[in-house]
Amino acid sequence: MTGETSVPITRILASAVTVLCAIAISPVAARADNPIVQTVYTADPAPIVHNGRVYLYTGHDEDGSTYFTMREWRVYSSADMVNWTDHGSPMNLATFSWASADAWAGQVVSRNGRFYYYVPIKNRSTGRMAIGVGVSDSPTGPFRDAIGRPLVENGEIDPTVFIDDDGQAYLYWGNPNLWYVRLNADMTSFSGSATQIPLTTAGFGTRSGNASRPTLYEEGPWVYKRNGTYYNVFAAECCSEFIGYSTAPGPTGPWTYRGTVMPRQGSSFTNHAGVIDFNGNSYFFYHNGALPGGGGYTRSVAVERFAYNANGTIPTITMTTAGAPQVGTLDPYIRQEAETIAWSSGVETEAAGEGGMNVGFIENGDYIKVKGAAFGAGATSFTARVASATSGGRIELRLDGVSGTVVGTCTVPATGGWQTWTTVTCPVSAATGTHDLYLRFTGGSGNLFNVNWWQFAGGGGGNLLTNGDAESGTTGWGVFGSGTLSSETGTVHGGSRSLGISGRTASWNGPSQNVTSQLTNGRSYTTSVWARAQSGTPSAKVTLALTANGTTGYVQLTPAATLSTGGWTQLTGTASVSWSGTLTGATLYVETAAGTDALLVDDASMR
Ligand code: FUB
């Protein structure tokens, strides 16, 4: 990023509100899901997977920047790769009393239940860039300075941390050189001294026309291991940068240059990579200047799904506005934070007085899109937590477009303050099946109201299942046939617990619930259960055993889907349920087509 001063900034923006008003008039942007965040400029993505969610750490380019003016980091999370929840800022320059500026590209790693955030920042006393380390017990922070001083300092930037299978952790960083040091198990100290990785053209490609920098390596390394091969994905050449990568048989090399991951694209002269596997797929995070007002110092993070080639090489990935496909659907019948957003126009987020974040600075015509909301058999009402220091306004609930069908409208009153919260409810009709949901905000001029969270209620009275999210242990759950239930904390789809079953002796054995008293004859029900194998790749489905007039029949509530040990699979479907005579027993259960593999289930609903 040495050529930054040559990049023209075509538009200096006074405020994020100005930026986001511009988004509203762009029909192309309004359909897109990339960039991931529209409420602020974000840069330097660093994703991790934790407890069934992707946590995405980013830098924050200040509005109207003409340099890398960055004072804080931000964190977002998602369970479906399209709807991202804004958790605010987990760490900023003030976290490090010794730092003066430049909250640049960091990375978080988790070890022994703690989260370590490695960041480049300027040391006030030396004026040089150093690497600091924050620590937190939560992936969303807050992080505190783990050691009260730089972990390493040599004027270079962009740390990446990788923990090898033998438990040895490595910190790599550098621009213009590439360094590594072996971290101790405490993750906040190291053994030995910083070692320079030889930047050979065989290892990192050939740069032309720059005698002092003969290889393509520029900055932003991202080191990880896959199937025994070590990968270093990095920002190459400057300026502008593209993303290249090298591989090695060990964590310290020797490295071999393998080519381009992402060509130069996207109106930002830097780019920065983050690579993860989630739920059985691979994802490439990067940044560009795609938001209105975007450019080299006003960047935005985006993501693409990709598949490794059979020989382990990375295909060439290009930037799209569509982004990654959704994993499963979003449940509108559980509380959703207003700051869970696939795309938004005009709004901002802020810390909420009653905890978490809220959406604010809402003006007439602003909107939030939430992708793939599964309404199932139909929603009957909508509830939102709102506050307004002025005279409020309305929330229009529209399907599949900002001008799509209105299925409900809630009036938001004056509440006497921007953090004086009340709950409003309004009727909803014709919201069935799965749709993109648009919350379109209307009213007079100026700021209208804030929204903290929202939730729909279903025509069938909500989730028929007790403790569907398994957060209350095994409460409400039984076993169809043989097996032992357990409440699991190690691998969850959402929240902090899932339900395990082991000791199955037949393929039809599985976790179950009696739903006899909740069913209405002839009604259609939508079922969603997240499931994962603890061994093997069984084909699983959700079935309803119905006993009426002494006869038992079986309704397949969801089609079968293959489970794996590497990620969660959503079993979902809509089925009509009817019987003749008197219903005496109805049991929903998860089964497999064959085998007795132990299973995990989580976030189950039948509506
Ligand atoms: O965001 C500031 C700097 O720009 C990062 O540290 C580099 O990787 C480049 O993206």
Side-chain angles (χ1 to χ4, degrees):
M1 58 168 191
T2 46
E4 61 265 25
T5 50
S6 66
V7 175
I9 301 299
T10 53
R11 195 168 158 198
I12 308 298
L13 294 158
S15 74
V17 173
T18 314
V19 173
L20 293 156
C21 288
I23 295 169
I25 57 171
S26 165
V28 172
R31 286 198 300 272
D33 296 314
N34 267 336
I36 287 170
V37 178
Q38 307 83 38
T39 48
V40 291
Y41 293 115
T42 54
D44 303 325
I48 62 166
V49 177
H50 174 70
N51 271 354
R53 290 184 77 80
V54 176
Y55 289 85
L56 170 64
Y57 302 85
T58 75
H60 175 192
D61 284 345
E62 295 293 330
D63 295 346
S65 291
T66 54
Y67 180 60
F68 298 108
T69 308
M70 304 170 80
R71 304 187 184 106
E72 63 174 13
W73 296 269
R74 309 282 292 208
V75 57
Y76 304 83
S77 76
S78 177
D80 66 8
M81 298 303 296
V82 297
N83 296 302
W84 290 90
T85 303
D86 187 337
H87 299 283
S89 174
M91 194 167 81
N92 57 41
L93 286 177
T95 304
F96 301 94
S97 60
W98 48 271
S100 58
D102 298 343
W104 287 0
Q107 184 180 352
V108 172
V109 292
S110 161
R111 185 164 207 175
N112 297 330
R114 296 188 129 185
F115 299 84
Y116 297 89
Y117 204 158
Y118 301 84
V119 287
I121 23 179
K122 186 173 281 180
N123 184 340
R124 181 184 296 106
S125 63
T126 64
R128 292 199 308 171
M129 291 303 288
I131 308 298
V133 55
V135 64
S136 175
D137 294 330
S138 163
T140 55
F143 288 79
R144 60 181 170 79
D145 187 352
I147 54 176
R149 57 184 160 73
L151 175 60
V152 291
E153 176 176 334
N154 64 359
E156 302 201 34
I157 60 170
D158 288 4
T160 179
V161 170
F162 158 70
I163 305 174
D164 209 344
D165 300 335
D166 62 3
Q168 178 63 58
Y170 298 84
L171 167 71
Y172 307 80
W173 78 102
N175 174 353
N177 303 297
L178 179 57
W179 303 82
Y180 76 89
V181 71
R182 287 185 170 82
L183 291 177
N184 295 329
D186 63 10
M187 301 299 280
T188 59
S189 62
F190 58 88
S191 295
S193 51
T195 303
Q196 224 171 312
I197 294 175
L199 289 177
T200 63
T201 54
F204 295 91
T206 305
R207 186 187 305 226
S208 54
N210 188 337
S212 65
R213 298 190 75 150
T215 79
L216 295 173
Y217 177 80
E218 180 74 18
E219 60 183 355
W222 182 271
V223 176
Y224 63 99
K225 184 181 186 179
R226 179 179 180 273
N227 292 342
T229 295
Y230 296 76
Y231 291 75
N232 182 350
V233 181
F234 56 87
E237 264 182 354
C238 185
C239 288
S240 55
E241 295 173 341
F242 68 95
I243 302 293
Y245 79 112
S246 304
T247 64
T252 60
W255 295 95
T256 301
Y257 183 62
R258 298 294 180 192
T260 299
V261 177
M262 176 169 273
R264 294 181 172 92
Q265 294 174 331
S267 313
S268 161
F269 64 90
T270 66
N271 199 349
H272 195 105
V275 186
I276 54 165
D277 281 353
F278 173 63
N279 219 59
N281 285 297
S282 300
Y283 295 92
F284 180 80
F285 291 78
Y286 58 96
H287 69 219
N288 61 24
L291 276 190
Y297 304 111
T298 43
R299 300 162 291 179
S300 292
V301 166
V303 64
E304 309 295 339
R305 192 175 81 176
F306 76 99
Y308 289 88
N309 297 316
N311 63 2
T313 55
I314 302 176
T316 302
I317 301 166
T318 55
M319 301 180 183
T320 74
T321 54
Q326 186 171 14
V327 177
T329 52
L330 178 132
D331 185 350
Y333 297 108
I334 61 176
R335 170 175 158 158
Q336 296 290 348
E337 299 304 318
E339 63 275 13
T340 296
I341 295 170
W343 190 266
S344 65
S345 174
V347 305
E348 297 181 41
T349 61
E350 61 184 355
E354 56 183 14
M357 303 285 287
N358 66 256
V359 167
F361 305 95
I362 292 171
E363 294 180 297
N364 184 41
D366 292 349
Y367 69 88
I368 291 170
K369 168 189 167 186
V370 177
K371 201 168 182 182
F375 291 103
T380 53
S381 69
F382 172 84
T383 297
R385 187 80 169 152
V386 293
S388 175
T390 52
S391 53
R394 289 173 301 285
I395 306 174
E396 296 173 359
L397 307 170
R398 293 176 178 266
L399 300 185
D400 299 324
V402 71
S403 304
T405 306
V406 178
V407 296
T409 302
C410 256
T411 299
V412 176
T415 65
W418 294 117
Q419 294 294 328
T420 305
W421 296 96
T422 192
T423 304
V424 295
T425 297
C426 54
V428 171
S429 62
T432 61
T434 298
H435 297 274
D436 294 347
L437 170 69
Y438 286 72
L439 308 181
R440 183 169 182 270
F441 308 112
T442 62
S445 59
N447 291 329
L448 302 177
F449 52 87
N450 293 344
V451 186
N452 192 358
W453 53 261
W454 56 264
Q455 178 169 5
F456 284 83
N463 190 355
L464 305 191
L465 303 182
T466 300
N467 185 30
D469 61 10
E471 295 302 302
S472 301
T474 60
T475 301
W477 291 93
V479 178
F480 203 61
S482 300
T484 304
L485 293 179
S486 56
S487 179
E488 300 290 328
T489 54
T491 306
V492 300
H493 176 258
S496 57
R497 288 176 180 274
S498 63
L499 184 72
I501 185 165
S502 57
R504 301 165 66 229
T505 58
S507 64
W508 53 270
N509 297 164
S512 67
Q513 290 218 8
N514 187 319
V515 291
T516 312
S517 61
Q518 283 107 310
L519 295 183
T520 301
N521 201 353
R523 237 205 77 183
S524 178
Y525 291 92
T526 295
T527 305
S528 170
V529 177
W530 287 88
R532 183 171 176 144
Q534 297 199 57
S535 63
T537 55
S539 173
K541 61 185 176 181
V542 186
T543 305
L544 183 69
L546 275 179
T547 303
N549 281 2
T551 304
T552 300
Y554 297 89
V555 179
Q556 193 164 332
L557 295 176
T558 74
T562 303
L563 307 187
S564 78
T565 55
W568 291 89
T569 300
Q570 187 180 29
L571 309 174
T572 186
T574 300
S576 180
V577 175
S578 58
W579 60 86
S580 303
T582 305
L583 182 70
T584 54
T587 304
L588 169 147
Y589 60 101
V590 181
E591 61 176 329
T592 54
T596 57
D597 290 311
L599 307 175
L600 294 170
V601 302
D602 203 353
D603 293 333
S605 63
M606 180 181 182
R607 301 176 193 284

